[in-house]
């Protein structure tokens, strides 16, 4: 069953974590398209620069609870305030360098909850249009 629902898109602020500094404020757009049900596209912007990464939705979800991911993308809960998760860190690595970003946990949770309303966790393969995936791979 291919899903033709509307993508879930959220804009939010986050910080580039810089040791010994307050960091740099960035804007991020998180986009979840039910046509690609396993992935979240994250576009990070500072001034005129924009960088996009594709991150597994499950990785973001798991990173709200404990350290998750190996390699290019890692996510983990960082700061708690009065027993409530306050910040989540996302570490991105590439051959050009690495960046650690701090994102408001409530903003990330709200975005993920909206994606789960569109495609429930564990049901992603039912929404994947395999014909389109194969066409992209062969095209």
């Amino acid at each position: 069953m291919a899903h033709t629902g509307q993508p879930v898109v959220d804009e939010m602020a986050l910080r580039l974590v810089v040791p010994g500094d307050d960091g740099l404020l960035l804007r991020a757009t998180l986009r979840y398209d039910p046509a690609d049900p396993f992935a979240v596209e994250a576009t990070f912007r500072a001034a005129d620069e924009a960088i996009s990464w594709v991150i597994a939705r499950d990785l973001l979800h798991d990173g709200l609870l404990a350290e998750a991911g190996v390699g290019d993308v890692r996510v983990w809960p960082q700061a708690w305030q009065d027993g409530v998760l306050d910040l989540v860190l996302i570490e991105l690595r590439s051959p050009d360098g690495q960046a650690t970003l701090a994102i408001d946990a409530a903003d990330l949770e709200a975005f993920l909850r909206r994606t789960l309303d569109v495609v429930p966790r564990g049901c992603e393969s039912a929404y994947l249009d395999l014909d389109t995936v194969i066409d992209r791979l062969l095209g």
Side-chain angles (χ1 to χ4, degrees):
M1 149 174 79
H3 186 71
T4 59
Q6 293 296 316
V8 176
V9 180
D10 270 352
E11 296 278 335
M12 55 192 71
L14 50 86
R15 287 204 173 275
L16 175 65
V17 177
V18 179
D21 194 326
D22 286 339
L24 174 66
L25 185 62
L26 304 174
R27 296 294 306 163
T29 301
L30 298 183
R31 184 176 194 278
Y32 178 77
D33 188 341
D36 189 3
F38 292 100
V40 170
E41 181 182 8
T43 301
F44 307 103
R45 289 179 307 286
D48 294 336
E49 297 292 320
I51 298 172
S52 292
W53 283 73
V54 176
I55 303 171
R57 180 176 72 163
D58 280 350
L59 178 62
L60 292 172
H61 184 273
D62 293 347
L64 288 169
L65 306 172
E67 186 172 334
V70 292
D72 294 347
V73 181
R74 293 183 333 126
V75 182
W76 66 95
Q78 176 62 25
W80 299 83
Q81 189 166 327
D82 299 325
V84 175
L85 180 60
D86 192 40
L87 287 176
V88 173
L89 295 184
I90 301 172
E91 182 182 73
L92 307 171
R93 292 176 180 255
S94 78
D96 296 327
Q98 84 175 51
T100 302
L101 306 166
I103 189 167
D104 183 86
D107 289 347
L108 181 57
E109 282 181 291
F111 170 78
L112 290 171
R113 201 170 17 249
R114 289 178 51 219
T115 72
L116 294 172
D117 289 342
V118 175
V119 178
R121 195 169 190 196
C123 296
E124 293 88 352
S125 61
Y127 290 81
L128 191 60
D129 182 353
L130 290 178
D131 291 334
T132 300
V133 172
I134 292 169
D135 286 345
R136 282 188 205 160
L137 291 173
L138 297 177

